[in-house]
Amino acid sequence: MMIERTLVLIKPDGVQRAVAGRIISRFEDVGLKLVAMKMVWVDEDFSKKHYAEHIEKPFYKGLESMITMGPVIAMTIEGVEAIALVRKMVGATEPKSSAPGTIRGDFAHVSYGYADEKGIGVKNLIHASADKKDAEIEVPLWFNDKEIHSYKTVHDAHILE
Ligand code: IDP
Ligand code: MG
C-alpha cells in the first residue's frame, strides 16, 4: 500500500507562536488528509517514550524541557507516500540549514550552536515521523484506533481515485 500514515506534532514553540493554522494549511494544500488531531500537554514520562532514541544524548534535557513547556497539537496525516513527503515539507532539523520553502526554513532560523550554548532544544516548530518504522511506533503511541478517522475529502475524488 502506498497510502501511509505519519505522526506530526506542532511543538509548543509552534503553538505559542500561533502559526499552527498556517502549518496545517500547508499539509491541506498538497492534498494530504488529517485523520486524527488533538491538543496534548506532554509530561516528562511521555517525552521519554516519544523521544526514546534521544534520551542518552547531550541535548535531551533541553529537548524534554522544550516539548513539555506547553501543549502540542498532535496529528496523524494520511496520503500517498506521506511519511517522506511530510519530512520533505518539514525540512532539515537545524533551522539554520533547512531550505527556504520548508516549514522549518520558513518559520525558524536558529542553529544547533546557539541552542546548545543556551542548553535548550532547537526550537524548530514541528515533529514528523522519520520513516515507516518510526511512524508505525509513533502513530499508535499518540492515537488509539477510535481517534483515527476514515472519511473522504475532495482529494479522494480528484487525486486518489
Ligand atoms: P527531527 O525532529 O528532525 O527528527 P531529531 O534528530 O530526531 O530531529 O531530534 C529531535 C529534536 O531534538 C529536534 O527536532 C530538535 O528539536 C532537537 N535537537 C536535535 N538535535 C539537537 C541538538 O544538537 N541540539 C539541540 N536540540 C536538538
Ligand atoms: Mg527524529
Side-chain angles (χ1 to χ4, degrees), residues 54-116:
H54 298 311
I55 290 173
E56 304 301 329
K57 295 187 183 159
F59 62 83
Y60 180 74
K61 215 176 149 48
L63 174 59
E64 186 179 87
S65 304
M66 186 196 63
I67 200 71
T68 59
M69 75 179 179
V72 307
I73 293 172
M75 295 170 274
T76 297
I77 290 181
E78 184 182 277
V80 176
E81 300 184 59
I83 299 163
L85 175 73
V86 167
R87 285 291 286 201
K88 182 185 75 170
M89 293 173 70
V90 164
T93 304
E94 184 190 33
K96 179 190 168 192
S97 311
S98 47
T102 65
I103 293 163
R104 287 164 170 171
D106 285 351
F107 288 95
H109 75 276
V110 300
S111 63
Y112 286 140
Y114 180 80
D116 291 345

Side-chain angles (χ1 to χ4, degrees), residues 1 9 13 58 69 71 87 90 105 108 115-116 119 121-122 131-133 137-138 147 150 153:
M1 265 302 261
L9 308 175
D13 52 317
M69 75 179 179
R87 285 291 286 201
V90 164
D116 291 345
V122 162
D131 52 32
K132 228 182 166 84
K133 185 175 70 59
I137 295 167
E138 291 176 0
E147 293 173 310
S150 291
T153 66

